[in-house]
Amino acid sequence: MARSDDILVKIRGLVFSHGRRRIFDGIDMDIRRGAVTAIMGPSGTGKTTLLKLIGGQLKPRSGTVEVDGHDVHRLSRSDLYRLRKRMGMLFQSGALLTDLNVFENVAFPLREHTDLPESMIRSLVLMKLEAVGLRGARELMPAQLSGGMARRVALARAIALDPMMIMYDEPFTGQDPISMGVLVKLIRTLNDALGLTSIVVSHDVAETASISDYIYVLSGGRIVGQGTPDELRRSDSPWVRQFMDGLPDGPVPFHYPAPDYREDLLR
Amino acid sequence: MTAPLQRLGAASLNVFAKLGRANLFLALALTGIPEILRRPGLLIRQMYVVGVLSVLLIALSGLFVGMVLGLQGYNVLSDFGAEESLGVMVAASLVRELGPVVTALLFSGRAGSALTAEIGLMKATEQLSGMEMMAVDPMKRVITPRLFAGILSMPLLAGLFTYIGIYGGYFVGVSLLGVDEGSFWSQMQAAIDFREDLVNSVIKSLAFGVIVTWIAVFEGYDAVPTSEGVSRATTRSVVYSAFAVLGSDFVLTALMFGE
Ligand SMILES: Nc1ncnc2c1ncn2[C@@H]1O[C@H](COP(=O)(O)OP(=O)(O)OP(=O)(O)O)[C@@H](O)[C@H]1O
Ligand SMILES: [Mg+2]
């Protein structure tokens, strides 16, 4: 494995539950600096939850999450906020501020955290919007955007402060094939050009595999497979196979835990 | 047998837990004060949304309430040949009670419900989470400015309500029903005391401003982040505000005017 200072995010023995439901049952993960790491897994396995744990929005039952050498859940509030300025996060829903237009949404972190003059903010915002192909949409309000456009605006906002890492939660859903292709390349390009570290959560196996350096496959609270895309493609683990090939039957359950179907119907 | 008791216990625990959260919430919101002093623009924008946009509603309601007071007061007072005291009656009712109380009730329906729904929806659409991840504290950026905008707007709106209400009473009493203009004003001036009445009126409306806005922003922040959760929170915001305003009005009145 990589040298330890090569690791930006280090997760050890992570256990987390939502109420009674155990979401993670002892997970170890290393996210390498400068790499694109994908986290894949069926819907509802806790991928979004994992990103929120890394961002310090949720606290684990036990285990640690270290980002850039800081134990996220031991930091004081102000240190956590300082760390978050260097982490961008792209929410599944976009999470744009609905009372601000596209331009102001992207400008928001700049206005909150810097004292840059207006002309500088304008140039920065237009650069970020240009990168996601939405410079022409700057006057629109979030309600006037499609889901895919909203996610791209959110991406522009996430890179506004030039963070050291970005977490993408399902960046590809709701994208047409063209913008999907652009976005896939964009994630890779941004990562390499800006020297970022990217964590991509996605179901889109082919697209994600095409840009990632390393992949973790989650299922049922555990890591059921990991490796480079090539290693995973060649893997004979039934979990990984099922996921990479998109098979309905296999060890990964499609169903949320439930009592026996027949019994349930006959009750 | 024990089930109802158990439910009662659980319900009261919930109430206390919620009260605790509400107090913690207020304390956290107060830590945002330096932020709004540093960036008064945040507060001013919310004063516009919460306060200025309520002006028309408050002014019209004040006018109607004042006119009704003028009419009803005239009917009662003229039976005793005391219609010159109409000014006192109108002003005292408005300054002491109706100004602060009715304004607070209207304010909670107009601005409080909007605050709850706005904040609840921001929570449901992950805007608050998103801010946190951008290292912006939603408490300071969203809650504190709205809280203080509400608290500061209430006395101003209640003042407006009272002022216009008195003119409504004047219009009906003096212009339409022929009460003597001189005695309308002079009796009012003689009977309404600055400290006893006006200062207490401002204190009341400030207190109601705190109550209504606190409930409104807390219910929004504490809402279950779904459409249904936000809709329930909005209803609760208006209902709790009404109860809290009327209940505390009794307490405040007893403290201020009780002998
Ligand atoms: N606030 C919550 N309270 C209780 N359970 C929750 C909560 N949020 C999520 N869960 C549960 O946690 C599990 C993981 O949720 P999460 O959103 O992390 O899934 P996900 O892997 O991101 O799924 P998707 O790919 O569909 O976005 C789900 O089974 C969900 O039922
Ligand atoms: Mg998710």
Side-chain angles (χ1 to χ4, degrees), chain A residues 43-44 46-49 92 169-170 201 203:
Chain A
S43 188
K47 302 180 297 294
T48 301
T49 307
Q92 205 162 354
D169 196 353
E170 310 277 4
V201 159
H203 310 288

Side-chain angles (χ1 to χ4, degrees), chain B residues 9-43:
Chain B
S12 24
L13 280 182
N14 277 342
V15 169
F16 284 113
K18 184 157 182 172
L19 279 176
R21 285 202 303 281
N23 280 297
L24 196 63
F25 171 86
L26 184 64
L28 281 175
L30 294 183
T31 63
I33 294 178
E35 179 82 1
I36 52 174
L37 293 179
R38 198 170 62 79
R39 294 171 62 187
L42 290 178
L43 179 64

Side-chain angles (χ1 to χ4, degrees), chain B residues 69 88-100 192:
Chain B
L69 277 177
V88 181
M89 204 224 93
V90 168
S93 348
L94 281 168
V95 171
R96 291 183 189 164
E97 289 298 334
L98 295 176
I192 301 293

Side-chain angles (χ1 to χ4, degrees), chain A residues 52 55 57 77 81-82 84-85 87 89 91-93 95-99 108-109 111-113 157 161 167, chain B residues 35 38-39 42 45-46 118 122 125-141 146:
Chain A
K52 289 195 169 165
Q57 288 193 304
R77 203 177 159 68
Y81 270 51
R82 203 163 307 133
R84 279 183 186 163
K85 283 184 205 169
M87 304 160 117
M89 168 129 170
F91 280 77
Q92 205 162 354
S93 59
L96 295 177
L97 302 172
T98 42
D99 57 341
F108 182 82
R111 293 197 199 284
E112 291 294 319
H113 295 306
R157 185 177 69 176
L161 285 178
M167 298 185 273
Chain B
E35 179 82 1
R38 198 170 62 79
R39 294 171 62 187
L42 290 178
R45 199 186 128 77
Q46 290 308 319
E118 184 192 18
M122 288 181 86
T125 54
E126 297 196 297
Q127 295 182 51
L128 298 182
S129 265
M131 276 191 193
E132 273 180 21
M133 280 308 299
M134 286 187 280
V136 175
D137 188 345
M139 210 58 165
K140 294 181 177 148
R141 182 65 174 66
R146 283 168 174 75

